[in-house]
Each structure stands twice: as structure tokens, then as C-alpha cells.
Amino acid sequence: MSATAKSLTLHLGLLAVLFALQFVLPAYHHGNIARIMVLASYAVGYNILFGYTGLLSLGHALFFAAGMYGMGLTIQHAGFTPAPALIVGILAGAVVSAILALLALRTTGVAFLIVTLMFAQAGYLTILYFGEYTRGDEGFVIQAFDRMLWGIDLSNPENRYFAAWGLFAVCLLLCLRLVRAPFGKTLVAIRENEERVRMLGYNTFAHKLGAMVISGTISAAAGAFYGLLFGYAGASFASVQYSIFPLLWVLLGGAGTVLGPFVGTLFMFYLIDLSSGVTTAYLLIVGVALVLLTLFAPQGLTGELRRRVWRWLP
């Protein structure tokens, strides 16, 4: 079996397992896995920019929040139904990411990180400033009757799980297709040696711009679905914490691997969940675990698996 066939079989197998888990998971883990799949979609978007293109951003909460508030505010104040509201949220993320890319990509390295962080903080403060509409830190609840998508009640746990699975499946397969395409291979080349890629005649700025827009759009889709599926939008999702989370998830799972974002999100979510059930000092346990993983699995869980066992993993 070729490497491409093995890779496709593995990723489709993961999606099949997640689909089947819907019917056997207890209620608590059923809700957790649905949440993890949406957050993993967010991490998939981040991984395209950081893992494959090599651009370290601390501004992705801006895209996540753009999707969430683009969806939520149109439902709350414009009377939109979920389908057009989701489209608005995704388009909002695409537009914001394109504008930020045109400005931030004038810089490199640490300067790029700082610029993206500054814009994300500006977005967070904007949400607080327009609290009359956004409800600021308090946020607002999206009522169950506003979460009917084509007659399907997304407040129902089973429907919510299938919607989260559908989003994650699209994001995962899109990422798999992208990294196999010439565009994705060029992004990896830019990550490794941008000067050489530029000397070969490629427009590296256009490729990085495309990567940032794709990354921001996927992140916005995750934010829009998160708000709709779980019925809440709040300013905390635009804070710097939600820019750091996808970075941690991608690093833990394996930057530059298609499965890494899901593995990292799953690991981090349950590490916090289980340790918080043991002690109030759960962050100490989480910190020790992260240090150990950094020392003994520097390429992340999936990255180490690729290095040691399955070299064909994309």
C-alpha cells in the first residue's frame, strides 16, 4: 500500500471511529468529544499557518472570535437564521485574516508574533468597548429556538455531535488535501528556507497570504460553530488565552502533522479535566506533564510517532 493510501486510510479510520463513538459514549464524554472536535478544527486552522508555513502567530483568537461574533451578532440583532449567520461568521474571519495578513506579513519573526498579538488584543478591546451589543465579558446566550439549522435542533446533544463531527471531518480532509497539493508543499518549503524558495521564482508573500487566509477562515468556522453548537459567545474567546491554546495543542500533538491538532487537543483537554478532579493544583500537574512531553517528545505526540514508526504520516 502506498504512503498516500495508508495516510487516507488512517485519517478516514479516525473519522469512522469518532462517528461510531456517538452511539456508545456516556453523556459526559459525548459532550466532551463534541467540544474537542470543534476546538481541534480551530487547531487545524492554526497548524496550517504555524506547523506548515512556520509563522508563529498569537492573534488567532481574533479569527475565532470574528467567526463567533459574526454568527452570534447577526442572530441576536439582525434576526438571521443559523445557515446565513454561519456564512457571515466564516466570511468575517476570511476578511479579518486577509486584512491582518496584508499588514502583519510586512514583518517577520518576533515582530510578526507581536503584531498579530496586538491586533488580537485590539479585537478583544473592541468587543468590550461595544458591550451594548456584545455584552462584553458577560457575553450572551444563543437560545435553543435560534439554533435550528434546516429544521435540525443543534441544542440536541446527538445533533450537536454530528455537526461537530461534520465540521472536523471537512477541516481534517481539507488540511490533508492541502498538504498533499503543490501549494502545501511550497508552504513547507517556505518554512524550511524561504530565501531559497524565493530564488526559485515563487511568490512567497502570496503563498503566506493564502496560508493566513485559509488558516483564519478555518479558525473562524470553528468559532462560528462553537458559538452555535454550545449556545454562547463571550469576550473570553477573544482573549490572548485563546491564541495560546491552539499553539499548545499543535505543539503537543505535533506541529506540521495533519493528526497533531486533534491529538494535542484531546490530550490537553482530558489532562486538565482529569487532573482538576484530583486536586485544585491541577495546573501544576498539567505543567509537569507539558515539561516532560517537551523533553521526551520534542516533536509532539504525532510528530514522534512519525519520526519513530510511521514515516509516511503527512
Side-chain angles (χ1 to χ4, degrees), residues 145-176:
F145 57 80
D146 285 326
R147 295 158 63 192
M148 298 288 294
L149 180 64
W150 300 313
I152 301 171
D153 182 8
L154 294 180
S155 64
N156 176 278
E158 287 75 21
N159 295 335
R160 181 177 61 196
Y161 187 98
F162 281 128
W165 179 86
L167 172 69
F168 177 65
V170 169
C171 292
L172 185 75
L173 295 177
L174 177 64
C175 181
L176 183 61

mmCIF file of all heavy atoms in Angstrom, residues 145-176:
data_model
loop_
_atom_site.group_PDB
_atom_site.id
_atom_site.type_symbol
_atom_site.label_atom_id
_atom_site.label_comp_id
_atom_site.label_asym_id
_atom_site.label_seq_id
_atom_site.Cartn_x
_atom_site.Cartn_y
_atom_site.Cartn_z
ATOM 1 N N PHE A 145 -34.157 28.063 20.403
ATOM 2 C CA PHE A 145 -35.004 28.252 19.225
ATOM 3 C C PHE A 145 -34.272 28.985 18.106
ATOM 4 O O PHE A 145 -34.728 28.995 16.961
ATOM 5 C CB PHE A 145 -36.301 28.980 19.591
ATOM 6 C CG PHE A 145 -36.104 30.326 20.242
ATOM 7 C CD1 PHE A 145 -35.824 31.464 19.489
ATOM 8 C CD2 PHE A 145 -36.202 30.455 21.622
ATOM 9 C CE1 PHE A 145 -35.641 32.692 20.094
ATOM 10 C CE2 PHE A 145 -36.018 31.695 22.230
ATOM 11 C CZ PHE A 145 -35.734 32.818 21.463
ATOM 12 N N ASP A 146 -33.120 29.611 18.426
ATOM 13 C CA ASP A 146 -32.296 30.269 17.407
ATOM 14 C C ASP A 146 -31.232 29.334 16.843
ATOM 15 O O ASP A 146 -30.419 29.755 16.007
ATOM 16 C CB ASP A 146 -31.609 31.502 17.992
ATOM 17 C CG ASP A 146 -32.553 32.672 18.168
ATOM 18 O OD1 ASP A 146 -33.464 32.819 17.331
ATOM 19 O OD2 ASP A 146 -32.395 33.433 19.139
ATOM 20 N N ARG A 147 -31.240 28.097 17.296
ATOM 21 C CA ARG A 147 -30.201 27.153 16.888
ATOM 22 C C ARG A 147 -30.784 25.999 16.077
ATOM 23 O O ARG A 147 -30.296 24.876 16.103
ATOM 24 C CB ARG A 147 -29.467 26.623 18.125
ATOM 25 C CG ARG A 147 -28.684 27.721 18.858
ATOM 26 C CD ARG A 147 -28.407 27.389 20.298
ATOM 27 N NE ARG A 147 -27.563 26.229 20.443
ATOM 28 C CZ ARG A 147 -27.366 25.591 21.605
ATOM 29 N NH1 ARG A 147 -27.967 26.032 22.709
ATOM 30 N NH2 ARG A 147 -26.581 24.549 21.662
ATOM 31 N N MET A 148 -31.831 26.320 15.311
ATOM 32 C CA MET A 148 -32.464 25.346 14.426
ATOM 33 C C MET A 148 -31.893 25.519 13.024
ATOM 34 O O MET A 148 -32.135 26.526 12.361
ATOM 35 C CB MET A 148 -33.978 25.542 14.405
ATOM 36 C CG MET A 148 -34.645 25.344 15.751
ATOM 37 S SD MET A 148 -34.694 23.612 16.274
ATOM 38 C CE MET A 148 -35.798 22.945 15.044
ATOM 39 N N LEU A 149 -31.114 24.562 12.580
ATOM 40 C CA LEU A 149 -30.483 24.621 11.258
ATOM 41 C C LEU A 149 -31.204 23.657 10.323
ATOM 42 O O LEU A 149 -31.118 22.446 10.482
ATOM 43 C CB LEU A 149 -28.999 24.251 11.375
ATOM 44 C CG LEU A 149 -28.186 24.269 10.085
ATOM 45 C CD1 LEU A 149 -28.115 25.691 9.515
ATOM 46 C CD2 LEU A 149 -26.770 23.739 10.332
ATOM 47 N N TRP A 150 -31.938 24.220 9.355
ATOM 48 C CA TRP A 150 -32.719 23.415 8.406
ATOM 49 C C TRP A 150 -33.623 22.415 9.129
ATOM 50 O O TRP A 150 -33.726 21.250 8.750
ATOM 51 C CB TRP A 150 -31.789 22.682 7.434
ATOM 52 C CG TRP A 150 -30.928 23.614 6.632
ATOM 53 C CD1 TRP A 150 -31.340 24.734 5.971
ATOM 54 C CD2 TRP A 150 -29.523 23.507 6.410
ATOM 55 N NE1 TRP A 150 -30.273 25.347 5.346
ATOM 56 C CE2 TRP A 150 -29.142 24.615 5.603
ATOM 57 C CE3 TRP A 150 -28.538 22.593 6.815
ATOM 58 C CZ2 TRP A 150 -27.840 24.818 5.192
ATOM 59 C CZ3 TRP A 150 -27.241 22.807 6.414
ATOM 60 C CH2 TRP A 150 -26.893 23.902 5.607
ATOM 61 N N GLY A 151 -34.240 22.880 10.202
ATOM 62 C CA GLY A 151 -35.161 22.039 10.957
ATOM 63 C C GLY A 151 -34.491 21.106 11.951
ATOM 64 O O GLY A 151 -35.170 20.336 12.633
ATOM 65 N N ILE A 152 -33.165 21.178 12.037
ATOM 66 C CA ILE A 152 -32.422 20.310 12.973
ATOM 67 C C ILE A 152 -32.064 21.125 14.204
ATOM 68 O O ILE A 152 -31.459 22.197 14.108
ATOM 69 C CB ILE A 152 -31.139 19.773 12.309
ATOM 70 C CG1 ILE A 152 -31.493 18.973 11.049
ATOM 71 C CG2 ILE A 152 -30.351 18.906 13.285
ATOM 72 C CD1 ILE A 152 -30.278 18.589 10.219
ATOM 73 N N ASP A 153 -32.433 20.618 15.358
ATOM 74 C CA ASP A 153 -32.177 21.310 16.620
ATOM 75 C C ASP A 153 -30.741 21.036 17.067
ATOM 76 O O ASP A 153 -30.428 19.940 17.544
ATOM 77 C CB ASP A 153 -33.174 20.831 17.682
ATOM 78 C CG ASP A 153 -32.995 21.544 19.015
ATOM 79 O OD1 ASP A 153 -32.206 22.514 19.073
ATOM 80 O OD2 ASP A 153 -33.642 21.129 20.009
ATOM 81 N N LEU A 154 -29.871 22.041 16.933
ATOM 82 C CA LEU A 154 -28.464 21.855 17.282
ATOM 83 C C LEU A 154 -28.214 21.924 18.786
ATOM 84 O O LEU A 154 -27.090 21.713 19.229
ATOM 85 C CB LEU A 154 -27.600 22.901 16.569
ATOM 86 C CG LEU A 154 -27.565 22.783 15.044
ATOM 87 C CD1 LEU A 154 -26.688 23.869 14.444
ATOM 88 C CD2 LEU A 154 -27.074 21.404 14.605
ATOM 89 N N SER A 155 -29.241 22.240 19.562
ATOM 90 C CA SER A 155 -29.090 22.177 21.017
ATOM 91 C C SER A 155 -29.254 20.749 21.518
ATOM 92 O O SER A 155 -28.921 20.438 22.668
ATOM 93 C CB SER A 155 -30.105 23.096 21.707
ATOM 94 O OG SER A 155 -31.439 22.660 21.453
ATOM 95 N N ASN A 156 -29.744 19.864 20.647
ATOM 96 C CA ASN A 156 -29.858 18.439 20.974
ATOM 97 C C ASN A 156 -28.470 17.806 20.942
ATOM 98 O O ASN A 156 -27.727 17.988 19.965
ATOM 99 C CB ASN A 156 -30.781 17.756 19.972
ATOM 100 C CG ASN A 156 -30.882 16.264 20.188
ATOM 101 O OD1 ASN A 156 -30.027 15.508 19.743
ATOM 102 N ND2 ASN A 156 -31.930 15.841 20.869
ATOM 103 N N PRO A 157 -28.063 17.069 21.982
ATOM 104 C CA PRO A 157 -26.691 16.529 22.048
ATOM 105 C C PRO A 157 -26.292 15.677 20.838
ATOM 106 O O PRO A 157 -25.162 15.767 20.362
ATOM 107 C CB PRO A 157 -26.696 15.692 23.333
ATOM 108 C CG PRO A 157 -27.745 16.326 24.179
ATOM 109 C CD PRO A 157 -28.807 16.785 23.225
ATOM 110 N N GLU A 158 -27.228 14.838 20.340
ATOM 111 C CA GLU A 158 -26.889 13.991 19.202
ATOM 112 C C GLU A 158 -26.656 14.818 17.945
ATOM 113 O O GLU A 158 -25.684 14.610 17.214
ATOM 114 C CB GLU A 158 -28.012 12.963 18.946
ATOM 115 C CG GLU A 158 -28.083 11.849 19.969
ATOM 116 C CD GLU A 158 -28.679 12.298 21.287
ATOM 117 O OE1 GLU A 158 -29.392 13.343 21.299
ATOM 118 O OE2 GLU A 158 -28.434 11.634 22.308
ATOM 119 N N ASN A 159 -27.524 15.779 17.703
ATOM 120 C CA ASN A 159 -27.359 16.639 16.522
ATOM 121 C C ASN A 159 -26.100 17.498 16.642
ATOM 122 O O ASN A 159 -25.396 17.729 15.651
ATOM 123 C CB ASN A 159 -28.586 17.537 16.363
ATOM 124 C CG ASN A 159 -29.846 16.745 16.064
ATOM 125 O OD1 ASN A 159 -29.781 15.639 15.541
ATOM 126 N ND2 ASN A 159 -30.993 17.310 16.404
ATOM 127 N N ARG A 160 -25.835 17.967 17.848
ATOM 128 C CA ARG A 160 -24.632 18.773 18.084
ATOM 129 C C ARG A 160 -23.375 17.959 17.789
ATOM 130 O O ARG A 160 -22.422 18.464 17.175
ATOM 131 C CB ARG A 160 -24.621 19.272 19.532
ATOM 132 C CG ARG A 160 -23.428 20.143 19.893
ATOM 133 C CD ARG A 160 -23.564 20.640 21.312
ATOM 134 N NE ARG A 160 -23.608 19.534 22.262
ATOM 135 C CZ ARG A 160 -24.025 19.640 23.524
ATOM 136 N NH1 ARG A 160 -24.454 20.803 23.980
ATOM 137 N NH2 ARG A 160 -24.022 18.598 24.317
ATOM 138 N N TYR A 161 -23.362 16.706 18.213
ATOM 139 C CA TYR A 161 -22.204 15.840 17.975
ATOM 140 C C TYR A 161 -21.981 15.642 16.481
ATOM 141 O O TYR A 161 -20.843 15.749 15.991
ATOM 142 C CB TYR A 161 -22.415 14.489 18.662
ATOM 143 C CG TYR A 161 -21.204 13.583 18.626
ATOM 144 C CD1 TYR A 161 -20.344 13.511 19.717
ATOM 145 C CD2 TYR A 161 -20.907 12.807 17.500
ATOM 146 C CE1 TYR A 161 -19.221 12.678 19.693
ATOM 147 C CE2 TYR A 161 -19.795 11.984 17.469
ATOM 148 C CZ TYR A 161 -18.960 11.916 18.563
ATOM 149 O OH TYR A 161 -17.855 11.103 18.532
ATOM 150 N N PHE A 162 -23.056 15.368 15.730
ATOM 151 C CA PHE A 162 -22.919 15.139 14.299
ATOM 152 C C PHE A 162 -22.445 16.400 13.587
ATOM 153 O O PHE A 162 -21.640 16.329 12.646
ATOM 154 C CB PHE A 162 -24.250 14.671 13.702
ATOM 155 C CG PHE A 162 -24.524 13.210 13.941
ATOM 156 C CD1 PHE A 162 -25.726 12.792 14.489
ATOM 157 C CD2 PHE A 162 -23.576 12.249 13.621
ATOM 158 C CE1 PHE A 162 -25.981 11.447 14.712
ATOM 159 C CE2 PHE A 162 -23.817 10.901 13.838
ATOM 160 C CZ PHE A 162 -25.026 10.496 14.382
ATOM 161 N N ALA A 163 -22.928 17.565 14.022
ATOM 162 C CA ALA A 163 -22.488 18.823 13.414
ATOM 163 C C ALA A 163 -21.006 19.063 13.690
ATOM 164 O O ALA A 163 -20.257 19.485 12.800
ATOM 165 C CB ALA A 163 -23.329 19.982 13.945
ATOM 166 N N ALA A 164 -20.572 18.793 14.927
ATOM 167 C CA ALA A 164 -19.157 18.948 15.281
ATOM 168 C C ALA A 164 -18.306 17.964 14.483
ATOM 169 O O ALA A 164 -17.219 18.322 13.997
ATOM 170 C CB ALA A 164 -18.969 18.721 16.783
ATOM 171 N N TRP A 165 -18.804 16.740 14.341
ATOM 172 C CA TRP A 165 -18.078 15.733 13.552
ATOM 173 C C TRP A 165 -17.966 16.166 12.091
ATOM 174 O O TRP A 165 -16.902 16.028 11.476
ATOM 175 C CB TRP A 165 -18.798 14.383 13.639
ATOM 176 C CG TRP A 165 -18.137 13.293 12.850
ATOM 177 C CD1 TRP A 165 -17.123 12.478 13.244
ATOM 178 C CD2 TRP A 165 -18.447 12.911 11.491
ATOM 179 N NE1 TRP A 165 -16.772 11.618 12.238
ATOM 180 C CE2 TRP A 165 -17.563 11.848 11.153
ATOM 181 C CE3 TRP A 165 -19.372 13.355 10.556
ATOM 182 C CZ2 TRP A 165 -17.602 11.238 9.908
ATOM 183 C CZ3 TRP A 165 -19.405 12.745 9.310
ATOM 184 C CH2 TRP A 165 -18.521 11.696 9.002
ATOM 185 N N GLY A 166 -19.052 16.708 11.537
ATOM 186 C CA GLY A 166 -19.029 17.162 10.153
ATOM 187 C C GLY A 166 -18.010 18.274 9.936
ATOM 188 O O GLY A 166 -17.263 18.271 8.951
ATOM 189 N N LEU A 167 -17.982 19.237 10.869
ATOM 190 C CA LEU A 167 -17.008 20.329 10.775
ATOM 191 C C LEU A 167 -15.590 19.779 10.833
ATOM 192 O O LEU A 167 -14.732 20.155 10.011
ATOM 193 C CB LEU A 167 -17.234 21.320 11.919
ATOM 194 C CG LEU A 167 -16.159 22.408 12.064
ATOM 195 C CD1 LEU A 167 -16.222 23.380 10.892
ATOM 196 C CD2 LEU A 167 -16.311 23.151 13.391
ATOM 197 N N PHE A 168 -15.323 18.906 11.796
ATOM 198 C CA PHE A 168 -13.971 18.375 11.949
ATOM 199 C C PHE A 168 -13.564 17.544 10.733
ATOM 200 O O PHE A 168 -12.414 17.627 10.271
ATOM 201 C CB PHE A 168 -13.884 17.517 13.221
ATOM 202 C CG PHE A 168 -12.538 16.875 13.422
ATOM 203 C CD1 PHE A 168 -11.417 17.654 13.653
ATOM 204 C CD2 PHE A 168 -12.395 15.504 13.361
ATOM 205 C CE1 PHE A 168 -10.160 17.072 13.810
ATOM 206 C CE2 PHE A 168 -11.149 14.907 13.539
ATOM 207 C CZ PHE A 168 -10.037 15.695 13.761
ATOM 208 N N ALA A 169 -14.497 16.760 10.191
ATOM 209 C CA ALA A 169 -14.192 15.938 9.016
ATOM 210 C C ALA A 169 -13.798 16.818 7.830
ATOM 211 O O ALA A 169 -12.818 16.533 7.134
ATOM 212 C CB ALA A 169 -15.404 15.076 8.659
ATOM 213 N N VAL A 170 -14.536 17.897 7.607
ATOM 214 C CA VAL A 170 -14.230 18.804 6.496
ATOM 215 C C VAL A 170 -12.855 19.444 6.698
ATOM 216 O O VAL A 170 -12.036 19.495 5.772
ATOM 217 C CB VAL A 170 -15.322 19.882 6.362
ATOM 218 C CG1 VAL A 170 -14.885 20.981 5.392
ATOM 219 C CG2 VAL A 170 -16.632 19.258 5.902
ATOM 220 N N CYS A 171 -12.590 19.925 7.916
ATOM 221 C CA CYS A 171 -11.312 20.591 8.195
ATOM 222 C C CYS A 171 -10.146 19.627 8.068
ATOM 223 O O CYS A 171 -9.101 19.970 7.491
ATOM 224 C CB CYS A 171 -11.337 21.214 9.585
ATOM 225 S SG CYS A 171 -12.480 22.601 9.761
ATOM 226 N N LEU A 172 -10.302 18.412 8.590
ATOM 227 C CA LEU A 172 -9.222 17.421 8.545
ATOM 228 C C LEU A 172 -8.908 17.023 7.104
ATOM 229 O O LEU A 172 -7.734 17.006 6.696
ATOM 230 C CB LEU A 172 -9.623 16.184 9.359
ATOM 231 C CG LEU A 172 -8.537 15.111 9.506
ATOM 232 C CD1 LEU A 172 -7.477 15.573 10.517
ATOM 233 C CD2 LEU A 172 -9.143 13.782 9.955
ATOM 234 N N LEU A 173 -9.933 16.720 6.328
ATOM 235 C CA LEU A 173 -9.717 16.283 4.952
ATOM 236 C C LEU A 173 -9.219 17.432 4.079
ATOM 237 O O LEU A 173 -8.416 17.216 3.156
ATOM 238 C CB LEU A 173 -11.006 15.687 4.381
ATOM 239 C CG LEU A 173 -11.476 14.398 5.070
ATOM 240 C CD1 LEU A 173 -12.801 13.928 4.484
ATOM 241 C CD2 LEU A 173 -10.426 13.292 4.973
ATOM 242 N N LEU A 174 -9.681 18.646 4.372
ATOM 243 C CA LEU A 174 -9.183 19.814 3.644
ATOM 244 C C LEU A 174 -7.691 20.010 3.908
ATOM 245 O O LEU A 174 -6.912 20.269 2.973
ATOM 246 C CB LEU A 174 -9.958 21.060 4.062
ATOM 247 C CG LEU A 174 -9.506 22.387 3.432
ATOM 248 C CD1 LEU A 174 -9.723 22.362 1.927
ATOM 249 C CD2 LEU A 174 -10.263 23.554 4.051
ATOM 250 N N CYS A 175 -7.282 19.871 5.162
ATOM 251 C CA CYS A 175 -5.867 20.011 5.512
ATOM 252 C C CYS A 175 -5.044 18.904 4.848
ATOM 253 O O CYS A 175 -3.962 19.158 4.318
ATOM 254 C CB CYS A 175 -5.704 19.969 7.029
ATOM 255 S SG CYS A 175 -4.000 20.170 7.585
ATOM 256 N N LEU A 176 -5.563 17.681 4.860
ATOM 257 C CA LEU A 176 -4.859 16.558 4.237
ATOM 258 C C LEU A 176 -4.673 16.802 2.743
ATOM 259 O O LEU A 176 -3.594 16.554 2.180
ATOM 260 C CB LEU A 176 -5.645 15.266 4.474
ATOM 261 C CG LEU A 176 -5.025 13.967 3.950
ATOM 262 C CD1 LEU A 176 -3.681 13.703 4.612
ATOM 263 C CD2 LEU A 176 -5.973 12.800 4.169
#
